Amino acid sequence: MPQARTNKAAEPNGDAGKPVDRRVQRTREGLHHALFDLILEKRYDKITVQDIIDRANVGRSTFYAHFLDKEDLLENLLRQLGEQLHDETVRTTPPADDHIVHSLTFFVHAHANRDFYRAMLSGGGGDLLLDTGRKHFTEALRQHLDQRVEEGAVLKIPTPVVAQYLAGAMMSVLTWWLAQDMPYPPEEIDDMYQALALPSIEALT
Amino acid sequence: MPQARTNKAAEPNGDAGKPVDRRVQRTREGLHHALFDLILEKRYDKITVQDIIDRANVGRSTFYAHFLDKEDLLENLLRQLGEQLHDETVRTTPPADDHIVHSLTFFVHAHANRDFYRAMLSGGGGDLLLDTGRKHFTEALRQHLDQRVEEGAVLKIPTPVVAQYLAGAMMSVLTWWLAQDMPYPPEEIDDMYQALALPSIEALT
Amino acid sequence: MPQARTNKAAEPNGDAGKPVDRRVQRTREGLHHALFDLILEKRYDKITVQDIIDRANVGRSTFYAHFLDKEDLLENLLRQLGEQLHDETVRTTPPADDHIVHSLTFFVHAHANRDFYRAMLSGGGGDLLLDTGRKHFTEALRQHLDQRVEEGAVLKIPTPVVAQYLAGAMMSVLTWWLAQDMPYPPEEIDDMYQALALPSIEALT
Amino acid sequence: MPQARTNKAAEPNGDAGKPVDRRVQRTREGLHHALFDLILEKRYDKITVQDIIDRANVGRSTFYAHFLDKEDLLENLLRQLGEQLHDETVRTTPPADDHIVHSLTFFVHAHANRDFYRAMLSGGGGDLLLDTGRKHFTEALRQHLDQRVEEGAVLKIPTPVVAQYLAGAMMSVLTWWLAQDMPYPPEEIDDMYQALALPSIEALT
DNA sequence: TCCTAAGCGAGACGGTACGTCTTGTCTTCCA
DNA sequence: TGGAAGACAAGACGTACCGTCTCGCTTAGGA
């Protein structure tokens, strides 16, 4: 019976609760790095736990003390990357933006980490990556739309359907763009996405 | 080295070359059935080749004589379902249709086979199902759009991007709809999809 | 849950029941040999299942398909050696023998297989070897003594105690003799054993 | 490289050199107790170091600061019990005794500590117990026999062989007696042992 | 009485072996 | 004699212990 584990990096916020052995932090980061590097080298679904712990110079039991399995580690890694992405989004947002959602940031982030993204999408781990991305995106859209509803707008189509529609379209375009070796710069592909998405949204009310 | 195998269902049409041992056909169908049933019972990615051959009352080597692996069998099974879907599409199409593609058929088919679809999407085999669906859909869209280009229309956005966008949106909505236990009848969810897709297409020219 | 397994070499006797794949027999013998060889090379309790299967060129699961664990394999091996010993005992017995039990055969057998015996006794697997030996010996003694009782003899001490006493003494002398690098030929050490054992037996009635 | 450790209980005699933190003594005793108790509860070879330190409320490193491993701890424990046995032997010896060695004390001691003995013998730790016992016994016999030789006796059989023979027989009878749930009182089983051993010794000269 | 070195609990860690599981190949037997 | 049954090699999995180690806390014993 795989018992629940912490799976939490030490909260970076002020000095709180647990002291958290510095070793723990180092071990977790080492495993993150090891997986990240390995993904760039071989298909995700061919990577074994043994590969990871060899790379990270970590004992087998240590791995299982921190993560439930390879996938759990990946989720953690993705969460971290997601937070990094989110920080960028928030920090770099131009105040006035006629785009419904920060889709550009996605494309830029994918472009910057193209090797990793491509490796994930073609190596069998794409599901998790896309699901994570879709979830973020859907959430952002939902908030945007709900806000408009609160402002009095009346939508012909339920919010979740719209959010799901636009997020799925986004992920699909992103995937295709990466698989084609990014034949357009991030800004251009984003323009296309927005050009397709905006009419749908405008037609909502 | 996994050598190439037949991987072809025996052509059912009378004329063709091979006589095709009736036993072969029976074996293949037995395996199809076994996998289909098992998918309804347990997560796809927890189903083992052993499970399948036990269910089908077939020896291990027999399985590998017909299919490369579990996934190959699934592809075969999906192809069969796809053909069934295609037949329905073609047969039932109303001649004049303001919808760009036969999205309704997808929803209807998913509704009819909801248990199977849901099992696939939540059991780890969703990728293959969605990819197959997306491929069909993308292809239909591409043909539709190319035809319009040939008729002289000038599109602001490259055809493949549009096709990918709309297909991805479709799959995403379909997935959400199934995961939510189909809160709308197929016709209604399809209307929503079309309501979102049409403005984008009209804005293309 | 480790389920019960066959643990039976195919009966060599005429044509009976199971056909028994020849491979099975070969695998079992290969594992026997591998363990036997390894025992001569390193302490028994430092031998791992991995060592054994590497040596025998056998897959891990194959090992566990045939034996419960390392100890189970050893038991099988010892049983085989025991049968070999028993055959010798029966075959070579001089019809008239003033010795109470065939102790000489033990010493001779140990002498012939001295490397194996010594390795077992010093390598942590002595228990099993001695228990097997003691069991054989005790049984032989019990039969001898019971027969005398049936012939009308009256013993001052219960048969099992006597059998246990003499068998334990035997194993102890055997162990010591081997540990000392057999400072006497088998016949001589056996004479000593008999010289010590006979007075006890004669005093019984 | 496991370095040598003290492995010595603090000399109880007052004057000696080192002051020896009282905590040390307490810790060692706690571990002894913990192991002793655990042996009565579960098979010796299923007891882990973790079990022991949990029971003793001791840190892992503390355990290894005092003992090399589980077996080392057991040896210590047995040595302690052995000294207790030896004290009894010496203290309670009747001045004149026609028995060659104090075999009775063994039986009595085993009877008094029957639970512990039985647990050891059936739990995989019997070897160490019996070896310790056999060593004590052999030594006592050797002294007895050597003394007789010095008195001019001529033995037909080398002393070590005889000692080994009688000690092994003793341990074997003891083991059997315990395994049978002690069907005779200690005095009776000892009488049997002596009745079997004495004729052998008398026949020596 | 204070101070300091030691003993200690707690437990993270690298390692190793275990017994289980699944895969895709290969051999044997049987119809 | 061709195909089904299933034995097999390979190797990853998650678990269980081991013996080492690094932390701070507590505490005895010499100053």
Side-chain angles (χ1 to χ4, degrees), chain C residues 44-62:
Chain C
Y44 167 73
D45 51 15
K46 292 299 177 196
I47 296 173
T48 71
V49 172
Q50 197 62 50
D51 292 335
I52 299 171
I53 67 182
D54 285 352
R55 181 66 61 100
N57 268 319
V58 144
R60 194 170 186 74
S61 45
T62 305

Side-chain angles (χ1 to χ4, degrees), chain C residues 67-85:
Chain C
F67 301 101
L68 287 166
D69 52 19
K70 188 178 66 162
E71 193 152 324
D72 188 33
L73 171 56
L74 178 59
E75 267 175 38
N76 250 266
L77 180 56
L78 289 182
R79 176 165 21 253
Q80 192 171 285
L81 289 180
E83 279 161 16
Q84 171 188 332
L85 167 60

Side-chain angles (χ1 to χ4, degrees), chain A residues 90-152:
Chain A
V90 169
R91 205 173 52 245
T92 68
T93 297
D97 192 351
D98 61 334
H99 285 182
I100 33 154
V101 71
H102 306 289
S103 55
L104 178 55
T105 336
F106 269 74
F107 289 109
V108 168
H109 190 261
H111 187 262
N113 300 85
R114 73 202 115 198
D115 287 336
F116 180 74
Y117 272 70
R118 262 197 302 239
M120 288 297 298
L121 291 173
S122 70
D127 256 13
L128 202 45
L129 180 65
L130 291 177
D131 282 357
T132 307
R134 175 161 30 233
K135 214 167 291 170
H136 279 225
F137 206 82
T138 310
E139 181 56 21
L141 277 164
R142 212 190 41 69
Q143 286 183 11
H144 174 88
L145 295 170
D146 282 355
Q147 185 188 337
R148 288 183 55 174
V149 168
E150 283 175 19
E151 289 167 1

Side-chain angles (χ1 to χ4, degrees), chain C residues 124 127 134 157-158 160-162 164-170 172-173 176 184 189 191-193 195-201 203-204, chain D residues 124 127 134 157-158 160-162 164-170 172-173 176 184 189 191-193 195-197 199-201 203-204:
Chain C
D127 256 13
R134 176 161 29 234
I157 298 177
V161 177
V162 179
Q164 204 64 29
Y165 174 96
L166 290 172
M170 168 74 192
S172 188
V173 168
W176 174 87
Y184 313 104
I189 189 74
D191 283 348
M192 297 186 203
Y193 173 72
L196 286 162
L198 280 177
S200 302
I201 295 173
L204 274 180
Chain D
D127 256 13
R134 175 159 32 232
I157 297 177
V161 177
V162 180
Q164 203 65 28
Y165 174 97
L166 291 172
M170 169 73 193
S172 188
V173 168
W176 173 88
Y184 312 106
I189 189 75
D191 283 348
M192 297 186 202
Y193 173 72
L196 285 162
S200 302
I201 293 173
L204 273 181

Side-chain angles (χ1 to χ4, degrees), chain D residues 20-70:
Chain D
V20 177
D21 205 322
R22 277 201 297 272
R23 285 175 292 174
V24 171
Q25 193 61 354
R26 271 181 46 82
T27 301
R28 299 180 68 90
E29 274 167 21
L31 288 167
H32 276 171
H33 264 105
L35 179 56
F36 190 91
D37 287 0
L38 281 166
I39 285 174
L40 298 179
E41 292 173 24
K42 58 192 289 194
R43 289 183 56 86
Y44 167 72
D45 51 15
K46 293 299 177 196
I47 296 174
T48 71
V49 173
Q50 197 62 51
D51 292 334
I52 299 170
I53 67 181
D54 286 351
R55 181 66 62 100
N57 267 318
V58 144
R60 196 169 185 71
S61 47
T62 305
F63 177 92
Y64 284 104
H66 287 290
F67 302 100
L68 285 166
D69 52 20
K70 186 179 67 163

Side-chain angles (χ1 to χ4, degrees), chain C residues 1-5 68:
Chain C
M1 167 192 36
Q3 70 253 40
R5 287 151 209 244
L68 287 166

Side-chain angles (χ1 to χ4, degrees), chain A:
Chain A
M1 169 191 35
Q3 68 253 44
R5 289 155 209 244
T6 7
N7 272 348
K8 287 257 107 118
E11 288 20 5
N13 57 324
D15 76 358
K18 290 75 170 289
V20 176
D21 203 323
R22 275 200 299 272
R23 284 173 295 173
V24 171
Q25 192 64 355
R26 272 179 47 79
T27 299
R28 299 179 69 89
E29 276 167 19
L31 288 167
H32 276 170
H33 265 107
L35 179 56
F36 190 91
D37 288 0
L38 280 166
I39 285 174
L40 298 179
E41 293 173 24
K42 57 191 292 192
R43 290 183 57 86
Y44 168 71
D45 52 14
K46 292 298 176 197
I47 296 172
T48 71
V49 172
Q50 196 62 51
D51 292 335
I52 299 171
I53 66 181
D54 285 352
R55 182 66 62 101
N57 267 320
V58 144
R60 195 171 186 73
S61 45
T62 304
F63 177 91
Y64 284 104
H66 286 289
F67 302 101
L68 286 166
D69 51 20
K70 187 180 64 162
E71 193 151 323
D72 188 33
L73 170 57
L74 179 60
E75 267 175 40
N76 250 267
L77 179 57
L78 290 182
R79 175 164 22 250
Q80 190 171 287
L81 289 180
E83 280 162 16
Q84 172 189 332
L85 167 60
H86 186 255
D87 288 355
E88 287 174 24
T89 310
V90 169
R91 205 173 52 245
T92 68
T93 297
D97 192 351
D98 61 334
H99 285 182
I100 33 154
V101 71
H102 306 289
S103 55
L104 178 55
T105 336
F106 269 74
F107 289 109
V108 168
H109 190 261
H111 187 262
N113 300 85
R114 73 202 115 198
D115 287 336
F116 180 74
Y117 272 70
R118 262 197 302 239
M120 288 297 298
L121 291 173
S122 70
D127 256 13
L128 202 45
L129 180 65
L130 291 177
D131 282 357
T132 307
R134 175 161 30 233
K135 214 167 291 170
H136 279 225
F137 206 82
T138 310
E139 181 56 21
L141 277 164
R142 212 190 41 69
Q143 286 183 11
H144 174 88
L145 295 170
D146 282 355
Q147 185 188 337
R148 288 183 55 174
V149 168
E150 283 175 19
E151 289 167 1
V154 176
L155 305 184
K156 297 181 193 155
I157 298 178
T159 317
V161 177
V162 180
Q164 202 65 30
Y165 174 95
L166 290 171
M170 169 74 192
M171 291 303 139
S172 189
V173 169
L174 182 66
T175 303
W176 174 88
W177 181 59
L178 283 161
Q180 304 300 314
D181 263 318
M182 297 169 292
Y184 313 105
E187 293 75 16
E188 233 169 274
I189 189 74
D190 184 53
D191 284 347
M192 298 186 202
Y193 172 72
Q194 291 285 343
L196 286 161
L198 280 177
S200 302
I201 293 173
E202 274 155 20
L204 274 181
T205 46

